[in-house]
Amino acid sequence: MKTISIVVPCYNEEKVIDTFYAKCSEITSSINNYVFEYIFVNDGSSDATLNLLKHLSLMDKSVRYISFSRNFGKEAAMLAGLTSSKGDYVVVMDVDLQHPPKLLTTMIKHIEDGYDSVAAKRVKRNGESKFRGYFSKKFYRIINKISDVNIEVGATDYRMMTRQMVDSVLSLKEYHRFTKGIFEWVGYDTKWIEYESFDREVGDSKWSFWSLFKYAIEGVVSFSTTPLKVSSFIGIMFAVLSFIYFAFTFCKTLITGIDMPGYASTICIVTFLGGVQLIALGIIGEYLSRVYMESKKRPLYFIKESNLESEKEE
Ligand code: UDP
Ligand code: MG
Protein backbone atom coordinates (compact mmCIF):
# COMPACT_ATOMS: atom_id res chain seq x y z
CA MET A 1 0.00 0.00 0.00
CA LYS A 2 1.24 3.46 -0.86
CA THR A 3 1.66 6.14 1.77
CA ILE A 4 0.56 9.75 1.39
CA SER A 5 2.13 12.37 3.65
CA ILE A 6 0.05 15.42 4.47
CA VAL A 7 2.31 18.36 5.35
CA VAL A 8 0.56 21.10 7.31
CA PRO A 9 2.31 24.32 8.40
CA CYS A 10 0.66 25.87 11.46
CA TYR A 11 1.27 29.26 12.99
CA ASN A 12 -1.01 30.27 15.86
CA GLU A 13 -3.83 28.06 14.65
CA GLU A 14 -5.29 26.72 17.92
CA LYS A 15 -8.80 27.58 16.74
CA VAL A 16 -8.73 25.48 13.59
CA ILE A 17 -6.44 22.50 14.15
CA ASP A 18 -9.07 20.17 15.55
CA THR A 19 -11.61 21.03 12.85
CA PHE A 20 -8.97 20.58 10.20
CA TYR A 21 -7.97 17.20 11.54
CA ALA A 22 -11.60 16.08 11.82
CA LYS A 23 -12.53 17.20 8.30
CA CYS A 24 -9.36 15.87 6.78
CA SER A 25 -9.51 12.44 8.39
CA GLU A 26 -13.15 12.17 7.38
CA ILE A 27 -11.91 12.37 3.77
CA THR A 28 -8.82 10.21 4.21
CA SER A 29 -10.76 7.42 5.91
CA SER A 30 -13.03 7.27 2.88
CA ILE A 31 -10.04 6.70 0.62
CA ASN A 32 -9.05 3.05 0.42
CA ASN A 33 -5.75 1.58 -0.73
CA TYR A 34 -3.65 4.34 0.81
CA VAL A 35 -2.09 4.93 4.20
CA PHE A 36 -1.98 8.54 5.36
CA GLU A 37 0.47 10.28 7.67
CA TYR A 38 0.20 13.82 8.95
CA ILE A 39 3.21 16.04 9.45
CA PHE A 40 2.16 19.15 11.32
CA VAL A 41 4.83 21.82 11.54
CA ASN A 42 4.40 24.24 14.42
CA ASP A 43 6.07 27.38 13.14
CA GLY A 44 6.86 28.97 16.51
CA SER A 45 3.26 29.56 17.56
CA SER A 46 2.68 31.50 20.75
CA ASP A 47 -0.73 29.96 21.43
CA ALA A 48 -1.80 26.39 22.27
CA THR A 49 -1.02 25.04 18.80
CA LEU A 50 1.82 22.80 19.98
CA ASN A 51 -0.20 21.32 22.83
CA LEU A 52 -3.05 20.52 20.48
CA LEU A 53 -0.62 18.85 18.08
CA LYS A 54 0.89 16.77 20.88
CA HIS A 55 -2.57 15.77 21.96
CA LEU A 56 -3.47 14.73 18.41
CA SER A 57 -0.28 12.72 18.08
CA LEU A 58 -1.15 10.77 21.22
CA MET A 59 -4.59 9.94 19.89
CA ASP A 60 -3.53 9.14 16.35
CA LYS A 61 -0.31 7.24 15.65
CA SER A 62 -0.14 8.63 12.13
CA VAL A 63 0.25 12.20 13.40
CA ARG A 64 3.81 13.56 13.49
CA TYR A 65 4.63 17.02 14.63
CA ILE A 66 7.71 19.18 14.30
CA SER A 67 8.03 22.28 16.42
CA PHE A 68 10.35 25.15 15.51
CA SER A 69 12.38 27.17 17.98
CA ARG A 70 10.70 30.34 16.70
CA ASN A 71 8.61 31.59 13.80
CA PHE A 72 10.61 30.93 10.64
CA GLY A 73 7.81 31.50 8.13
CA LYS A 74 5.62 29.26 6.02
CA GLU A 75 8.34 28.55 3.47
CA ALA A 76 10.60 27.09 6.15
CA ALA A 77 7.70 25.15 7.65
CA MET A 78 6.86 23.58 4.30
CA LEU A 79 10.51 22.69 3.76
CA ALA A 80 10.76 21.00 7.16
CA GLY A 81 7.56 19.07 6.47
CA LEU A 82 8.71 17.93 3.04
CA THR A 83 12.11 16.95 4.42
CA SER A 84 10.68 14.62 7.02
CA SER A 85 7.91 13.25 4.84
CA LYS A 86 8.25 9.58 3.97
CA GLY A 87 5.22 9.07 1.73
CA ASP A 88 5.22 7.95 -1.87
CA TYR A 89 3.10 11.04 -2.46
CA VAL A 90 3.23 14.22 -0.45
CA VAL A 91 0.57 16.90 -0.23
CA VAL A 92 1.05 20.36 1.27
CA MET A 93 -2.04 21.89 2.84
CA ASP A 94 -3.02 24.97 4.86
CA VAL A 95 -4.63 24.24 8.20
CA ASP A 96 -7.28 26.96 7.86
CA LEU A 97 -9.46 24.78 5.60
CA GLN A 98 -9.02 27.20 2.71
CA HIS A 99 -7.55 24.20 0.94
CA PRO A 100 -10.57 21.87 0.79
CA PRO A 101 -9.59 18.33 1.87
CA LYS A 102 -12.21 16.88 -0.47
CA LEU A 103 -9.89 17.70 -3.40
CA LEU A 104 -7.57 14.93 -2.17
CA THR A 105 -9.60 12.30 -3.99
CA THR A 106 -9.28 14.16 -7.30
CA MET A 107 -5.58 14.72 -6.71
CA ILE A 108 -4.93 11.03 -6.10
CA LYS A 109 -6.85 10.16 -9.24
CA HIS A 110 -4.71 12.42 -11.42
CA ILE A 111 -1.48 11.23 -9.82
CA GLU A 112 -2.54 7.67 -10.53
CA ASP A 113 -3.15 8.73 -14.12
CA GLY A 114 0.54 9.50 -14.37
CA TYR A 115 0.92 13.16 -13.42
CA ASP A 116 3.91 14.05 -11.25
CA SER A 117 2.02 16.70 -9.40
CA VAL A 118 -1.51 17.96 -9.01
CA ALA A 119 -1.88 21.58 -7.94
CA ALA A 120 -4.95 23.52 -6.93
CA LYS A 121 -5.71 26.99 -8.15
CA ARG A 122 -8.31 29.41 -6.93
CA VAL A 123 -10.82 30.56 -9.48
CA LYS A 124 -12.71 33.03 -7.35
CA ARG A 125 -11.42 34.70 -4.27
CA ASN A 126 -14.59 34.77 -2.23
CA GLY A 127 -14.44 37.12 0.70
CA GLU A 128 -11.09 38.53 -0.28
CA SER A 129 -10.57 42.24 -0.64
CA LYS A 130 -10.64 43.57 -4.21
CA PHE A 131 -7.42 45.41 -3.46
CA ARG A 132 -5.51 42.21 -2.66
CA GLY A 133 -7.01 40.33 -5.59
CA TYR A 134 -5.97 43.08 -7.98
CA PHE A 135 -2.38 43.20 -6.77
CA SER A 136 -2.07 39.45 -6.69
CA LYS A 137 -3.17 39.22 -10.36
CA LYS A 138 -0.79 41.99 -11.41
CA PHE A 139 2.05 40.28 -9.51
CA TYR A 140 1.65 36.99 -11.38
CA ARG A 141 1.44 38.79 -14.73
CA ILE A 142 4.69 40.63 -14.03
CA ILE A 143 6.61 37.67 -12.63
CA ASN A 144 5.59 35.45 -15.55
CA LYS A 145 6.72 38.06 -18.05
CA ILE A 146 10.14 38.68 -16.60
CA SER A 147 11.20 35.36 -15.12
CA ASP A 148 11.95 31.91 -16.46
CA VAL A 149 9.14 30.24 -14.51
CA ASN A 150 5.46 30.43 -15.33
CA ILE A 151 3.21 30.58 -12.31
CA GLU A 152 -0.53 30.13 -12.87
CA VAL A 153 -2.72 33.02 -11.76
CA GLY A 154 -4.40 31.97 -8.52
CA ALA A 155 -1.86 29.20 -7.87
CA THR A 156 -1.81 28.06 -4.26
CA ASP A 157 0.62 25.94 -2.29
CA TYR A 158 -2.00 23.17 -2.14
CA ARG A 159 -0.32 20.49 -4.17
CA MET A 160 0.25 16.75 -4.25
CA MET A 161 3.58 15.53 -5.57
CA THR A 162 5.31 12.26 -6.25
CA ARG A 163 8.35 11.30 -4.18
CA GLN A 164 10.56 11.97 -7.21
CA MET A 165 9.35 15.56 -7.49
CA VAL A 166 9.61 16.13 -3.73
CA ASP A 167 13.23 14.97 -3.84
CA SER A 168 13.92 17.41 -6.67
CA VAL A 169 12.30 20.24 -4.71
CA LEU A 170 14.41 19.32 -1.67
CA SER A 171 17.60 19.31 -3.71
CA LEU A 172 17.26 23.07 -4.12
CA LYS A 173 19.12 24.29 -1.10
CA GLU A 174 18.63 28.04 -1.46
CA TYR A 175 18.10 30.13 1.64
CA HIS A 176 15.51 32.43 0.13
CA ARG A 177 12.82 30.00 -0.88
CA PHE A 178 9.94 31.02 -3.07
CA THR A 179 8.22 27.64 -3.15
CA LYS A 180 5.62 28.53 -5.78
CA GLY A 181 8.45 29.30 -8.17
CA ILE A 182 10.48 26.24 -7.13
CA PHE A 183 7.54 23.90 -7.84
CA GLU A 184 7.43 25.27 -11.39
CA TRP A 185 11.17 25.46 -11.83
CA VAL A 186 11.80 21.75 -11.14
CA GLY A 187 9.53 20.88 -14.07
CA TYR A 188 7.54 17.59 -14.20
CA ASP A 189 3.97 17.25 -15.42
CA THR A 190 1.54 19.24 -13.37
CA LYS A 191 -2.22 18.94 -13.54
CA TRP A 192 -4.06 22.09 -12.42
CA ILE A 193 -7.39 21.66 -10.75
CA GLU A 194 -9.67 24.56 -9.90
CA TYR A 195 -11.62 25.27 -6.79
CA GLU A 196 -13.54 28.15 -5.35
CA SER A 197 -11.81 29.69 -2.41
CA PHE A 198 -13.49 30.98 0.68
CA ASP A 199 -12.45 33.35 3.38
CA ARG A 200 -11.05 31.55 6.41
CA GLU A 201 -13.81 30.94 8.92
CA VAL A 202 -11.76 31.15 12.10
CA GLY A 203 -8.51 32.89 12.91
CA ASP A 204 -6.84 35.54 10.79
CA SER A 205 -4.68 35.46 7.71
CA LYS A 206 -1.05 35.86 8.76
CA TRP A 207 -0.28 38.11 5.82
CA SER A 208 -0.13 41.86 6.07
CA PHE A 209 0.15 44.08 3.02
CA TRP A 210 3.82 44.61 3.83
CA SER A 211 4.58 40.89 4.12
CA LEU A 212 2.83 40.28 0.79
CA PHE A 213 4.93 43.04 -0.75
CA LYS A 214 8.10 41.40 0.55
CA TYR A 215 6.87 38.03 -0.74
CA ALA A 216 6.34 39.56 -4.20
CA ILE A 217 9.86 41.03 -4.25
CA GLU A 218 11.16 37.62 -3.16
CA GLY A 219 9.37 35.97 -6.05
CA VAL A 220 10.80 38.35 -8.61
CA VAL A 221 14.35 38.44 -7.28
CA SER A 222 14.55 34.67 -6.75
CA PHE A 223 13.56 33.79 -10.28
CA SER A 224 14.60 36.65 -12.49
CA THR A 225 17.49 39.00 -13.08
CA THR A 226 15.42 41.18 -15.39
CA PRO A 227 15.29 44.11 -12.92
CA LEU A 228 19.10 44.29 -13.11
CA LYS A 229 18.93 44.38 -16.88
CA VAL A 230 16.22 47.02 -16.81
CA SER A 231 18.31 49.26 -14.59
CA SER A 232 21.35 48.90 -16.87
CA PHE A 233 19.10 49.68 -19.82
CA ILE A 234 17.76 52.83 -18.18
CA GLY A 235 21.35 53.82 -17.33
CA ILE A 236 22.50 53.43 -20.93
CA MET A 237 19.45 55.30 -22.21
CA PHE A 238 20.16 58.25 -19.95
CA ALA A 239 23.85 58.25 -20.86
CA VAL A 240 22.96 58.47 -24.55
CA LEU A 241 20.35 61.18 -23.96
CA SER A 242 22.73 63.27 -21.88
CA PHE A 243 25.43 62.92 -24.52
CA ILE A 244 23.03 64.21 -27.17
CA TYR A 245 22.04 67.03 -24.85
CA PHE A 246 25.70 67.85 -24.23
CA ALA A 247 26.47 67.95 -27.97
CA PHE A 248 23.44 70.15 -28.52
CA THR A 249 24.38 72.65 -25.78
CA PHE A 250 28.01 72.70 -26.95
CA CYS A 251 27.02 73.66 -30.50
CA LYS A 252 24.45 76.15 -29.24
CA THR A 253 27.08 77.85 -27.05
CA LEU A 254 29.48 78.12 -29.99
CA ILE A 255 26.81 79.80 -32.09
CA THR A 256 24.82 81.97 -29.68
CA GLY A 257 27.21 82.30 -26.71
CA ILE A 258 26.55 81.49 -23.04
CA ASP A 259 23.20 82.31 -21.51
CA MET A 260 22.29 82.03 -17.87
CA PRO A 261 18.77 80.57 -17.83
CA GLY A 262 18.60 76.83 -17.36
CA TYR A 263 18.85 76.60 -13.59
CA ALA A 264 15.44 74.94 -13.24
CA SER A 265 16.05 72.36 -15.93
CA THR A 266 19.46 71.55 -14.45
CA ILE A 267 17.96 70.88 -11.04
CA CYS A 268 15.24 68.75 -12.64
CA ILE A 269 17.73 66.61 -14.48
CA VAL A 270 20.03 66.24 -11.48
CA THR A 271 17.28 65.18 -9.10
CA PHE A 272 15.71 62.88 -11.67
CA LEU A 273 18.99 61.13 -12.37
CA GLY A 274 19.63 60.95 -8.62
CA GLY A 275 16.32 59.12 -8.27
CA VAL A 276 17.08 56.72 -11.10
CA GLN A 277 20.47 55.95 -9.61
CA LEU A 278 18.98 55.22 -6.21
CA ILE A 279 16.45 52.85 -7.75
CA ALA A 280 19.21 51.04 -9.62
CA LEU A 281 21.27 50.83 -6.43
CA GLY A 282 18.25 49.50 -4.56
CA ILE A 283 17.76 46.77 -7.14
CA ILE A 284 21.43 45.81 -6.99
CA GLY A 285 21.11 45.84 -3.21
CA GLU A 286 18.23 43.34 -3.32
CA TYR A 287 20.36 40.89 -5.27
CA LEU A 288 23.48 41.55 -3.24
CA SER A 289 21.60 40.93 0.00
CA ARG A 290 20.53 37.54 -1.39
CA VAL A 291 24.14 36.68 -2.20
CA TYR A 292 25.10 37.78 1.29
CA MET A 293 22.47 35.65 2.98
CA GLU A 294 23.19 32.64 0.76
CA SER A 295 26.90 32.90 1.51
CA LYS A 296 26.25 32.56 5.24
CA LYS A 297 24.69 29.13 4.64
CA ARG A 298 22.49 29.46 7.67
CA PRO A 299 20.03 26.69 8.42
CA LEU A 300 16.50 27.64 7.39
CA TYR A 301 14.96 26.55 10.68
CA PHE A 302 15.67 24.89 14.00
CA ILE A 303 13.56 22.07 15.33
CA LYS A 304 13.09 22.43 19.06
CA GLU A 305 11.07 19.27 19.51
CA SER A 306 9.22 16.71 17.49
CA ASN A 307 7.90 13.19 17.72
CA LEU A 308 9.88 12.06 14.69
CA GLU A 309 12.58 10.54 16.90
CA SER A 310 10.21 8.37 18.90
CA GLU A 311 8.91 7.09 15.60
CA LYS A 312 12.42 5.96 14.61
CA GLU A 313 12.90 4.01 17.80
CA GLU A 314 9.79 1.94 17.23
N1 UDP B 1 1.80 29.85 8.32
C1 UDP B 1 3.00 29.41 8.86
N2 UDP B 1 3.94 30.33 9.23
C2 UDP B 1 3.75 31.67 9.08
C3 UDP B 1 2.52 32.11 8.48
C4 UDP B 1 1.58 31.17 8.12
O1 UDP B 1 3.22 28.22 9.01
O2 UDP B 1 4.63 32.44 9.43
C5 UDP B 1 0.77 28.85 7.92
C6 UDP B 1 -0.61 29.07 8.51
O3 UDP B 1 -0.74 28.48 9.77
C7 UDP B 1 -1.51 28.42 7.48
C8 UDP B 1 -0.77 28.67 6.17
O4 UDP B 1 0.59 28.93 6.53
O5 UDP B 1 -1.63 27.02 7.66
C9 UDP B 1 -1.36 29.81 5.38
O6 UDP B 1 -1.42 30.96 6.18
P1 UDP B 1 -2.56 32.05 6.02
O7 UDP B 1 -3.90 31.42 6.05
O8 UDP B 1 -2.28 33.10 7.02
O9 UDP B 1 -2.25 32.60 4.57
P2 UDP B 1 -3.29 32.93 3.39
O10 UDP B 1 -4.25 31.79 3.31
O11 UDP B 1 -3.93 34.20 3.78
O12 UDP B 1 -2.42 33.04 2.18
MG1 MG C 1 -5.30 30.98 4.67
Side-chain angles (χ1 to χ4, degrees):
M1 261 211 284
K2 284 190 166 152
T3 310
I4 300 181
S5 308
I6 305 177
V7 170
V8 196
C10 313
Y11 178 47
N12 291 342
E13 302 282 10
E14 60 181 8
K15 294 196 192 110
V16 279
I17 285 179
D18 286 335
T19 342
F20 170 82
Y21 174 76
K23 290 234 167 111
C24 204
S25 25
E26 198 181 300
I27 301 290
T28 54
S29 57
S30 72
I31 301 173
N32 303 322
N33 306 327
Y34 288 95
V35 184
F36 288 87
E37 67 161 0
Y38 290 90
I39 301 171
F40 287 97
V41 185
N42 170 35
D43 185 11
S45 305
S46 51
D47 63 0
T49 298
L50 179 59
N51 287 339
L52 287 171
L53 293 181
K54 281 183 179 166
H55 185 68
L56 273 185
S57 72
L58 291 178
M59 295 198 323
D60 181 347
K61 276 269 163 248
S62 66
V63 172
R64 313 271 135 77
Y65 66 86
I66 297 170
S67 184
F68 284 175
S69 58
R70 66 166 169 88
N71 178 244
F72 282 97
K74 188 185 173 188
E75 297 288 332
M78 285 195 287
L79 178 69
L82 290 178
T83 307
S84 43
S85 70
K86 303 239 169 57
D88 302 283
Y89 306 143
V90 182
V91 57
V92 182
M93 246 171 136
D94 282 2
V95 74
D96 56 10
L97 289 170
Q98 280 179 316
H99 294 167
K102 65 170 191 280
L103 290 187
L104 285 175
T105 348
T106 327
M107 288 182 157
I108 293 173
K109 198 180 131 279
H110 288 302
I111 287 251
E112 275 176 349
D113 285 347
Y115 281 100
D116 302 295
S117 106
V118 186
K121 86 178 173 195
R122 274 178 302 238
V123 277
K124 208 161 121 215
R125 296 189 154 212
N126 288 320
E128 190 181 61
S129 81
K130 283 220 171 75
F131 186 63
R132 184 170 161 179
Y134 174 80
F135 275 102
S136 134
K137 253 200 200 123
K138 272 268 166 311
F139 165 64
Y140 289 111
R141 292 248 161 81
I142 294 173
I143 192 169
N144 288 341
K145 270 227 172 83
I146 65 173
S147 69
D148 27 322
V149 290
N150 197 28
I151 300 171
E152 297 269 327
V153 175
T156 61
D157 292 326
Y158 187 16
R159 186 187 278 262
M160 186 178 281
M161 289 164 279
T162 57
R163 171 68 15 211
Q164 188 187 26
M165 178 161 169
V166 172
D167 289 342
S168 304
V169 168
L170 290 177
S171 71
L172 271 74
K173 299 282 181 218
E174 59 216 70
Y175 181 81
H176 285 278
R177 294 186 82 81
F178 181 70
T179 306
K180 267 182 203 164
I182 292 178
F183 285 155
E184 294 310 311
W185 191 86
V186 295
Y188 300 103
D189 291 334
T190 300
K191 170 82 188 168
W192 286 95
I193 55 177
E194 295 181 346
Y195 75 99
E196 262 185 45
S197 76
F198 295 90
D199 210 1
R200 51 152 80 214
E201 279 158 31
V202 237
D204 296 312
S205 171
K206 308 295 178 301
W207 294 90
S208 63
F209 184 74
W210 177 238
S211 61
L212 279 170
F213 179 74
K214 284 200 291 190
Y215 183 70
I217 299 278
E218 197 60 69
V220 174
V221 177
S222 299
F223 281 93
S224 156
T225 49
T226 309
L228 285 176
K229 291 185 193 104
V230 170
S231 64
S232 329
F233 176 75
I234 294 175
I236 293 168
M237 217 173 63
F238 274 101
V240 171
L241 283 180
S242 66
F243 181 75
I244 295 171
Y245 184 70
F246 167 75
F248 172 75
T249 334
F250 186 74
C251 298
K252 198 174 151 230
T253 315
L254 283 184
I255 299 162
T256 63
I258 298 168
D259 55 2
M260 261 313 274
Y263 179 73
S265 55
T266 312
I267 292 291
C268 286
I269 293 167
V270 169
T271 49
F272 180 63
L273 282 184
V276 172
Q277 282 169 356
L278 282 180
I279 293 172
L281 273 180
I283 295 173
I284 296 171
E286 286 292 330
Y287 286 91
L288 191 64
S289 70
R290 266 29 167 221
V291 176
Y292 174 63
M293 290 308 288
E294 294 293 344
S295 70
K296 290 187 187 212
K297 298 220 180 339
R298 279 189 183 160
L300 278 97
Y301 53 82
F302 290 109
I303 296 176
K304 192 177 165 198
E305 57 176 300
S306 79
N307 67 345
L308 298 169
E309 303 302 320
S310 60
E311 160 66 18
K312 264 183 214 154
E313 284 158 19
E314 277 172 16

